[in-house]
Amino acid sequence: MTEPPSHDGVRAAVAYGDIAREVALKLKYSGRLACAQTMARAMARLMPEGADLLVPVPLHRWRIWSRGFNQAALIAAALSRTSGVPMDAATLRRVKATPVLRGLGARGRARAVAGAFALSGDAKARLAGRTVVLIDDVHTSGATAAACARALKRSGADKVILLCWARVLGEALD
């Protein structure tokens, strides 16, 4: 309670396990883009009431160049189509290349994403007083979501709620 999270809650369609991991990896590393629609369908039932804007967790441009896409943006686009809530993939940017976070503990992840996110010049006008739903594929330690939520709230977002495909629970986090 002495250090409350910077976001206003986390919603996950599934617990991270073998099947959730396989779906996420097929999207990220095998280019199975239809997996984004599958994830979005499962996530749609958890869409917060009063959501004003969907913002995907951004990738650094080098990661996009190597992968060819941002999986969170694909999921957000599919959610936007089904929910009618607009998506904005340009407001939040990853300005610092970060290492792959897999294998890092909570502190290492927090250090890796420190200073990694920035907002576009007109973000304050787009975010002021709005409820933002931050979209990601997998929520592990919360370091990425916390860094993104801090940046969004500093620019005027009233609430930032993380909506993800899978959430790592308990021992799987270590």
Side-chain angles (χ1 to χ4, degrees):
M1 300 311 293
T2 59
E3 292 183 41
S6 50
H7 57 72
D8 297 286
V10 177
R11 297 173 181 207
V14 299
Y16 191 78
D18 293 340
I19 294 170
R21 178 181 184 277
E22 187 66 26
V23 172
L25 292 178
K26 280 183 180 181
L27 173 58
K28 278 175 139 167
Y29 302 115
S30 297
R32 306 283 285 282
L33 304 185
C35 289
Q37 293 173 342
T38 299
M39 294 169 156
R41 274 195 303 274
M43 294 162 64
R45 64 185 167 78
L46 301 171
M47 182 69 71
E49 275 190 46
D52 296 309
L53 187 65
L54 303 178
V55 174
V57 169
L59 291 180
H60 190 269
R61 67 181 178 275
W62 294 346
R63 184 92 23 100
I64 292 173
W65 288 337
S66 67
R67 189 174 293 163
F69 58 88
N70 175 350
Q71 72 279 358
L74 293 175
I75 296 166
L79 269 169
S80 180
R81 285 190 298 274
T82 61
S83 69
V85 177
M87 178 193 87
D88 183 347
T91 293
L92 185 62
R93 299 176 296 121
R94 190 179 295 237
V95 294
K96 174 181 149 188
T98 55
V100 173
L101 301 180
R102 190 177 1 175
L104 296 178
R107 283 193 181 123
R109 287 170 180 259
R111 276 193 301 273
V113 297
F117 300 99
L119 288 122
S120 63
D122 60 346
K124 287 189 188 237
R126 284 192 266 183
L127 296 173
R130 299 182 89 184
T131 296
V132 174
V133 181
L134 183 65
I135 304 297
D136 206 359
D137 57 346
V138 178
H139 176 72
T140 306
S141 69
T144 299
C148 290
R150 278 191 297 275
L152 291 164
K153 284 192 167 185
R154 275 195 306 265
S155 285
D158 182 45
K159 289 183 181 178
V160 177
I161 300 165
L162 176 65
L163 177 56
C164 60
W165 158 245
R167 184 172 184 174
V168 176
L169 302 172
E171 295 171 5
L173 182 58
D174 298 327

